[in-house]
């Protein structure tokens, strides 16, 4: 019979302690744990506070990582190239573009039937310019589409005008309603003698989101694509930057002497901003409705989320990459968006995010920071700031400055008449569908090809012997640590262990444990000590990890049977193992996911914190007189299985790892929309890890656990994935162990059951490899 020392049976999900509870006792050598309340929620809140502080500090720390040469504009540009490469990498602007071909679109209509002449390519006529529908190739079947506004005389400038993604190209030149005439900056620029291309951008609605012609998603199209691209080291913005740069390729190929400019609003402003920073061929840029401090990126829609952005780049630093070329920043109107829409019954699973009009003073401060960032550049950088009312974009002052910086000497012409349509245009819904389908298919192509990409990435691994392989994988482990998980500094606080006794059974005694890691960040868990430990005896430890929304009590509470975990920490303690059940911070729904949103722009993940929490925990466990520090294994279910695939990779102190109810073809699991268990169909927007698909699947992660023992536990009825996916991926794990002569160190157990701990083959595996006899 179990004798309880707390009220957990009454309130199983809230851990708390009362100062008046008479039986609360600490473990010898530790202080009494007195912290009350929901410790999981407090853990997540502490990590969140750490990230808030780190975000506030990041702008001042960026300068330490930059080395720029201000001796001349030419040398300055050369010194920016390493930073352009880094920006290209995190935006996913990494694919070589095809030689560009621009095609005029002339859709056939019934009125053309029987005509002896071809349909007209001309869509509309404006004052001094003609409008055409065009498409151009980019790469891998991805095309850009939009409108070309061609002046009747030789163009004075070649421009890309990018609308907000909820505007169509037709709106930006007055062919469709939706944008006020005074905001139709593409038309105004064409009236002033510029050749203007207006690309189509993927919209924010969920209409047509999901599998083209198949299952539909409630996610905004940009979010659905972002999730698939992120895993493959790409972004939606990156593909739209590539479409823009293909137009720049076209401009340059036609006439390299004509100045090139980019201008955009909202999402189009972001694309113009980044394109100008990446491509020195762009002579001038104008950005409206986007520029502001970027430290609140985590609040913006997730499709703007950019891995590690804030470690090197705020908007001021991006502006500095455009310098010494001129930049016009317009702050007036900004898109105002809330995801999910309030009251939307179809919004479950959407990542929260919003776009608001920023505080004008904050915009001014970021402009001032941009000017200060390049103050040593000779001649001084030309960063102009045009302020407007909340409804204003494309102001005359903005357009005048933009044209002047492109070499125009004459004043801006008065606004002309709206263009006149001369034939029916392409169905805009069909164009939107085509553009979405191309990006969707490109994400799926990248996913299907990823095993070959990873094979090339892993070509430096030396499989000639065990020692050679382990030595050669040091680089891959460091890459995984630094580029996938994200590195945190070493823990800055002494652990100051605090404990309190909470369980007393005939077989074991249980203690809650809390250890300090960083300010506001602590490690917490439940330690179970078998009662038959003899003086001087040292025993193996099994770290038993819960899954999503779990708690240590789910695995270690002797009075609470959870159908997923089956008290496996208790069962192992009854077999004589010391067990420890850590609290991991993936609980609290969007609370922990929003903490992750704060972490990703800082090049961090939740695993960055979990790693440091486990390191502190393992160091403390190793100090206990009953623990054999060389025999500490890891066994996790579900999200704990995800932990089993990652944390032992970066913590060699774990002498083995068991992944239960999670191991599978992980990249397909995240990205292959054809399967119902793909994360593209769930609310778990925390799952994608930037560029993981090109570098590590679960087999490759198991190679980084090698030569330590590794096991997979798999229930036939587990909905995480299919048996064939699991077997397919595990075959690559087993092959390595077999070829290296260590076949006895890896196993997989299939059992007839669901998403749960089975505890048969895995328990035998633990007894064998932790060298503890089965009772």
């Amino acid at each position: 019979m179990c004798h309880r020392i707390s009220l957990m049976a009454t309130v199983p999900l809230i851990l708390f302690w009362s100062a008046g509870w008479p039986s609360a006792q600490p473990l010898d050598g530790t202080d009494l744990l007195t912290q009350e309340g929901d410790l999981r929620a407090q853990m997540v809140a502490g990590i969140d506070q750490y990230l808030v502080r780190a975000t506030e500090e990041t702008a001042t720390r960026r300068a330490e990582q930059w080395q720029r040469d201000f001796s001349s504009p030419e040398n300055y540009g050369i010194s920016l190239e390493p930073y352009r490469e880094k920006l290209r990498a995190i935006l996913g602007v990494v694919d070589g573009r095809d030689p560009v071909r621009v095609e005029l679109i002339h859709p056939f209509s019934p009125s053309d039937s029987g005509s002896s002449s071809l349909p007209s390519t001309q869509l509309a006529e404006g004052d001094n310019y003609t409008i055409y529908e065009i498409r151009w190739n980019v790469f891998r079947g991805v095309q850009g589409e939009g409108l070309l506004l061609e002046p009747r005389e030789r163009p004075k400038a070649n421009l890309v005008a990018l609308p907000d993604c909820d505007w169509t190209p037709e709106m930006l030149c007055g062919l469709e309603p939706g944008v006020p005439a005074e905001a139709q900056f593409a038309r105004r620029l064409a009236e002033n003698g510029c050749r203007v291309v207006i690309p189509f951008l993927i919209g924010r609605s969920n209409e047509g989101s999901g599998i083209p012609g198949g299952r539909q998603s409630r996610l905004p199209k940009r979010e659905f694509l972002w999730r698939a691209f992120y895993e493959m080291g790409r972004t939606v913005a990156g593909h739209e930057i590539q479409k823009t740069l293909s137009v720049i390729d076209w401009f340059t190929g036609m006439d390299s002497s004509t100045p090139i400019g980019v201008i955009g609003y909202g999402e189009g402003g972001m694309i113009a901003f980044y394109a100008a920073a990446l491509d020195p061929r762009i002579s001038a840029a104008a950005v409206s409705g986007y520029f502001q401090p970027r430290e609140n990126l985590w609040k913006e829609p997730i499709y703007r989320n950019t891995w590690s952005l804030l470690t090197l780049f705020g908007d001021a630093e991006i502006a500095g990459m455009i310098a010494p070329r001129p930049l016009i920043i317009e702050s007036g109107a900004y898109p105002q968006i809330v995801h999910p829409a309030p009251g939307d019954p179809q919004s479950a699973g959407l990542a929260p995010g919003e776009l608001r009009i920023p505080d004008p003073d904050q915009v001014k401060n970021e402009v001032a920071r941009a000017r200060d960032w390049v103050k040593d550049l000779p001649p001084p950088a030309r960063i102009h700031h045009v302020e407007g009312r909340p409804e204003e974009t494309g102001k005359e002052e903005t357009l005048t400055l933009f044209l002047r910086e492109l070499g125009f000497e004459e004043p801006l012409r008065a606004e002309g008449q709206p263009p006149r349509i001369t034939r029916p245009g392409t169905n805009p819904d069909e164009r939107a569908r085509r553009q979405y389908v191309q990006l969707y298919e490109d994400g799926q192509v990248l996913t299907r090809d990823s095993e070959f990409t990873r094979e090339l990435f892993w070509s430096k691994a030396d499989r000639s012997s065990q020692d050679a392989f382990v030595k050669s994988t040091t680089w891959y482990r460091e890459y995984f640590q630094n580029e996938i998980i994200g590195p945190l500094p070493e823990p800055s606080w002494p652990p100051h262990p605090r404990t309190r006794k909470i369980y007393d059974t005939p077989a074991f005694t249980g203690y809650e444990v809390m250890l300090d890691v960083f300010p506001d960040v602590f490690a917490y868990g439940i330690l179970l000590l078998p009662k038959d430990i003899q003086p001087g005896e040292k025993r193996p430890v099994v770290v038993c990890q819960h899954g999503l929304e779990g708690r240590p009590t789910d695995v270690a509470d002797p009075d609470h049977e959870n159908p997923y975990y089956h008290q496996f920490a208790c069962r192992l303690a009854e077999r004589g193992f010391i067990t420890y059940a850590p609290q991991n911070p993936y609980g609290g729904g969007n609370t922990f996911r929003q903490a992750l949103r704060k972490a990703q722009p800082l090049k961090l993940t939740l695993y960055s914190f979990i790693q440091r929490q486990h390191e502190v925990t393992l160091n403390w466990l190793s100090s206990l007189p009953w623990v054999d520090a060389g025999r500490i294994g890891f066994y996790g279910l579900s999200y704990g299985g995800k932990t089993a695939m990652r944390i032992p990779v970066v913590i060699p102190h774990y002498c083995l790892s068991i992944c239960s109810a999670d191991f599978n073809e992980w990249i397909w699991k995240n990205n292959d929309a054809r399967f119902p268990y793909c994360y593209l169909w769930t609310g778990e927007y925390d799952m994608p890890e930037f560029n993981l698909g090109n570098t590590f699947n679960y087999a490759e992660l198991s190679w980084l656990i090698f030569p330590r023992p590794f096991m997979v536990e798999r229930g036939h009825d587990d909905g995480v994935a299919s048996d064939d996916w699991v077997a397919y991926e595990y075959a690559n794990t087993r092959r390595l162990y077999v070829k290296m002569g260590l076949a006895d160190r890896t196993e997989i157990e299939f059992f007839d059951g669901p998403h749960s701990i089975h505890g048969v083959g895995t328990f035998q595996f633990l007894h064998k490899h932790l060298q503890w006899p089965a009772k």
Side-chain angles (χ1 to χ4, degrees), residues 71 110 126 151 284 401 486 608 664 685 691 737:
S71 61
L401 281 169
S608 308
N664 66 90
Y685 57 85
N691 205 35
Y737 278 80

Side-chain angles (χ1 to χ4, degrees), residues 267-471:
E267 229 62 17
M270 174 182 69
I271 303 304
F273 193 42
Y274 285 134
L278 292 176
D279 197 332
R281 295 177 301 174
I282 296 171
S283 306
V287 176
S288 177
Y290 179 74
F291 190 93
Q292 60 183 297
R294 205 50 60 187
E295 280 66 36
N296 282 330
L297 179 60
W298 67 273
K299 291 183 178 180
E300 298 178 35
I302 197 168
Y303 43 78
R304 285 188 175 185
N305 189 30
T306 306
W307 170 249
S308 78
L309 179 73
L310 296 180
T311 60
L312 273 176
F313 308 105
D315 281 13
E317 286 78 13
I318 299 296
M321 295 174 71
I322 297 172
R325 294 163 293 147
L327 169 65
I328 297 91
I329 297 164
E330 182 180 73
S331 60
Y334 284 74
Q336 298 184 65
I337 304 294
V338 177
H339 294 305
D344 181 0
Q346 302 297 318
S347 64
L350 275 67
E354 62 180 29
L355 298 177
R356 301 290 190 189
I357 297 177
D359 183 333
D361 289 337
Q362 291 184 349
V363 177
K364 290 178 184 176
N365 290 340
E366 190 72 4
V367 172
R369 203 170 70 82
R371 289 168 173 161
D372 184 67
W373 182 245
V374 291
K375 67 180 185 301
D376 295 328
L377 185 64
R382 301 192 298 277
I383 299 176
H384 308 279
H385 183 201
V386 178
E387 298 180 69
R389 296 187 302 274
E391 69 279 5
E392 288 184 313
T393 187
K395 287 171 58 98
E396 293 218 355
E397 181 183 355
T398 300
L399 300 183
T400 298
L401 281 169
F402 185 47
L403 293 177
R404 188 178 72 195
E405 292 290 10
L406 287 165
F408 283 57
E409 297 179 356
E410 60 270 25
L412 188 71
R413 296 177 185 174
E415 181 184 343
Q417 292 298 312
R420 300 165 298 284
I421 296 175
T422 58
R423 68 157 172 83
T426 297
N427 184 322
D429 293 336
E430 285 299 308
R431 179 181 59 198
R433 187 193 66 80
R434 282 195 304 272
Q435 288 284 281
Y436 172 80
V437 168
Q438 289 173 10
L439 295 197
Y440 167 85
E441 290 294 347
D442 195 53
Q444 297 302 294
V445 166
L446 291 168
T447 299
R448 291 192 292 270
D449 288 349
S450 62
E451 63 179 299
F452 307 108
T453 308
R454 291 191 301 275
E455 184 178 2
L456 181 62
F457 178 76
W458 274 83
S459 61
K460 292 183 288 187
D462 184 350
R463 292 172 171 82
S464 61
S465 69
Q466 291 179 24
D467 290 343
F469 184 79
V470 171
K471 183 178 179 180

Side-chain angles (χ1 to χ4, degrees), residues 687-719:
M687 289 302 172
E689 297 160 276
F690 187 72
N691 205 35
L692 186 72
N694 294 315
T695 51
F696 304 93
N697 206 336
Y698 272 14
E700 287 87 354
L701 291 177
S702 72
W703 299 348
L704 297 180
I705 294 170
F706 177 88
R708 293 168 287 167
F710 173 74
M711 184 173 181
V712 173
E713 184 176 53
R714 161 72 189 177
H716 287 308
D717 299 326
D718 191 339

Side-chain angles (χ1 to χ4, degrees), residues 598-614:
K598 292 185 175 79
Q600 288 168 331
L602 300 176
K603 203 178 185 181
L604 297 172
T605 63
L606 289 182
Y607 293 112
S608 308
F609 293 91
I610 292 170
Q611 176 187 354
R612 295 310 188 198
Q613 289 171 321
H614 279 238

